[in-house]
C-alpha cells in the first residue's frame, strides 16, 4: 500500500518541480509566450489519471495542462523540449506550453479556447460507443469555463447520449483575475449537473487519495454506459493565472493560507502519519529534483526547431 502512496507523491512532485523549473526558464527568456502553471492543482491530475486505463482512455486538458501531460506519462525531457521550442519536443516544438498533444499517452491535446475540450471529449466518447473500445474521455475545465455556452451544450449532449465522459472541474476560484464569486451566483458548481440529468459531486481536489478513490468508483460506471458524471474538484492555484501575473486581486494573507492546505504539504503529513520515515520522503524529493534538473539540461542541449519545416504536420 505504501508503494502506491509513494507513487502518487512522486507523480505530484514531478509536476511541481517541473512547473517551478518552467517558471525559471520563462523568466530567463528561454521559454517564450504565455505560460499557465498548475502549482497547487497536482492532486487532481495525478488522482484522476491513476484511475484511468491510458492510452485507451483519453484526456482533454486546458492550457494549464503540463501537469496532466506528465500525469499521463509524457517524458519530462520531451515536454521541456516542447516548451523550449526544440526539435525533440513532443510535437517538435510546434505545440508549446498551451497546445501540445501526446496521443500515444492518451493526452489528446491542450486547448486555449475556454471550455472547448468538453465538446471534443464528447466526440471521443461518441466514437467509443461505435468502436467498442471501452474508452472513456475525461474533459478538464476550470470554474470559469462553467459559464461558457459550449460547456452547457456539451453537458446536455453527453447526458442525452449517455456518453462515457467524466467532466472534471478544477475549481481554483478564479477565472483569470476575476473571482468566481463575481461570475456565478452559486458557489457549488457541481449543482449544475443535475438540471442536465447527470450526477454531479464536489470533492476536495487537494486530497490525492480522495480524488483517486472517487474516480476508481465512478470510472467503471461511466465505462459501462451509465452516462457522464461531473466532478467539481476544489483546489487552489498557488501561482498567478499566467507567469508574470502580480496577483493584486488576492486578499492579504490569502496566498499564505492556501499554502497550508496545498496537496504536497498535506500528503507529506499523511505519509509521515502512515509511518513513512521522513528520510525516505527527503530522498524521493532529492531524486525528483535531480530528475527534473537533468531533464531540463537535456532539453536545453537539443536543437531548436527548424523554421523551414513550420508547415509540416499541417493539413493542406
Ligand atoms: C472562449 C474563451 N473566452 C475567453 C478566453 C480568455 N481566457 C483565457 S483563460 C480564462 C480563464 C478561465 O478560467 P477557468 O476556466 O477557471 O480556468 P483556470 O485558468 O482557472 O484554470 C479566460 C477567460 C479564452 N481563452 N477563450
Ligand atoms: Mg479557475
Amino acid at each position: 500500500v505504501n508503494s502506491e502512496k509513494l507513487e502518487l507523491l512522486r507523480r505530484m512532485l514531478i509536476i511541481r518541480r517541473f512547473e517551478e523549473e518552467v517558471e525559471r526558464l520563462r523568466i530567463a527568456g528561454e521559454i517564450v509566450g504565455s505560460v499557465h502553471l498548475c502549482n497547487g492543482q497536482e492532486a487532481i491530475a495525478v488522482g484522476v489519471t491513476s484511475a484511468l486505463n491510458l492510452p485507451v482512455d483519453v484526456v482533454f486538458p486546458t492550457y494549464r495542462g503540463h501537469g496532466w501531460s506528465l500525469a499521463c506519462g509524457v517524458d519530462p525531457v520531451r515536454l521541456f523540449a516542447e516548451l523550449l521550442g526544440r526539435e525533440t519536443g513532443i510535437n517538435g516544438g510546434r505545440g508549446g506550453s498551451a497546445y501540445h498533444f501526446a496521443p500515444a499517452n492518451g493526452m489528446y491535446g491542450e486547448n486555449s479556447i475556454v471550455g472547448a475540450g468538453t465538446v471534443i471529449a464528447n466526440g471521443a466518447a461518441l466514437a467509443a460507443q461505435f468502436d467498442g473500445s471501452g474508452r472513456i474521455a475525461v474533459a478538464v475545465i476550470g470554474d470559469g469555463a462553467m459559464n461558457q455556452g459550449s460547456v452547457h451544450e456539451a453537458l446536455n449532449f453527453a447526458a442525452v447520449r449517455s456518453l462515457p465522459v467524466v467532466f472534471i472541474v478544477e475549481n481554483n476560484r478564479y477565472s483569470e483575475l476575476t473571482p468566481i464569486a463575481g461570475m456565478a451566483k452559486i458557489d457549488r458548481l457541481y449543482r449544475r449537473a443535475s438540471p442536465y440529468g447527470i450526477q454531479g459531486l464536489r470533492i476536495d481536489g487537494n486530497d490525492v487519495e480522495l480524488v483517486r478513490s472517487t474516480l476508481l468508483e465512478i470510472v467503471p460506471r461511466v465505462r459501462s454506459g451509465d452516462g457522464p458524471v461531473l466532478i467539481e474538484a476544489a483546489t487552489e492555484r498557488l501561482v498567478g493565472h499566467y507567469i508574470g501575473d502580480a496577483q493584486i486581486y488576492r486578499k492579504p494573507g490569502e496566498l499564505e493560507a492556501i499554502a497550508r492546505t496545498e496537496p504536497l504539504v498535506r500528503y507529506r503529513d499523511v505519509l509521515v502519519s502512515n509511518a513513512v520515515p521522513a528520510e525516505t520522503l527527503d530522498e524521493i524529493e532529492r531524486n525528483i529534483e535531480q530528475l527534473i534538473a537533468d531533464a531540463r539540461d537535456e532539453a536545453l542541449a537539443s536543437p531548436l526547431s527548424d523554421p523551414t519545416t513550420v508547415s509540416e504536420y499541417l493539413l493542406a
Side-chain angles (χ1 to χ4, degrees), residues 23-235:
E23 181 165 24
R24 284 191 280 274
L25 291 166
R26 176 67 189 85
I27 290 166
E30 294 279 357
I31 293 174
V32 294
S34 194
V35 178
H36 306 85
L37 302 173
C38 70
N39 309 40
Q41 306 186 184
E42 296 89 347
I44 305 173
V46 168
V48 170
T49 53
S50 77
L52 298 179
N53 177 25
L54 298 166
V56 173
D57 295 336
V58 291
V59 180
F60 294 82
T62 69
Y63 44 86
R64 204 178 295 291
H66 309 160
W68 284 95
S69 288
L70 293 167
C72 286
V74 171
D75 176 2
V77 178
R78 298 202 64 200
L79 192 57
F80 271 130
E82 183 59 33
L83 272 53
L84 287 159
R86 309 288 156 144
E87 206 65 59
T88 52
I90 189 91
N91 306 125
R94 289 161 171 77
S97 170
Y99 297 99
H100 67 272
F101 182 83
N105 297 87
M107 192 296 215
Y108 265 52
E110 294 183 298
N111 201 315
S112 272
I113 312 292
V114 169
T118 56
V119 184
I120 310 172
N122 275 356
L126 188 60
Q129 288 184 334
F130 291 103
D131 66 22
S133 59
R135 169 193 316 116
I136 71 158
V138 173
V140 185
I141 48 177
D143 45 300
M146 286 297 284
N147 302 317
Q148 283 295 111
S150 59
V151 172
H152 291 269
E153 294 176 28
L155 290 173
N156 188 57
F157 186 78
V160 155
R161 296 290 192 108
S162 281
L163 295 182
V165 190
V166 178
F167 296 96
I168 301 286
V169 183
E170 298 181 309
N171 187 351
N172 60 16
R173 299 188 300 116
Y174 287 97
S175 172
E176 293 187 308
L177 323 184
T178 308
I180 188 64
M183 300 178 61
K185 244 336 201 182
I186 57 170
D187 67 351
R188 294 290 183 261
L189 297 173
Y190 79 92
R191 292 199 179 126
R192 290 189 181 170
S194 111
Y196 292 108
I198 67 172
Q199 186 194 354
L201 65 155
R202 178 178 157 105
I203 58 170
D204 180 348
N206 284 355
D207 179 341
V208 68
E209 289 190 13
L210 177 65
V211 177
R212 173 172 162 76
S213 60
T214 303
L215 270 287
L216 282 174
E217 194 225 311
I218 281 170
V219 163
R221 287 199 269 124
V222 173
R223 204 185 294 288
S224 68
D226 282 5
V229 175
L230 182 146
I231 302 172
E232 176 187 3
T235 186

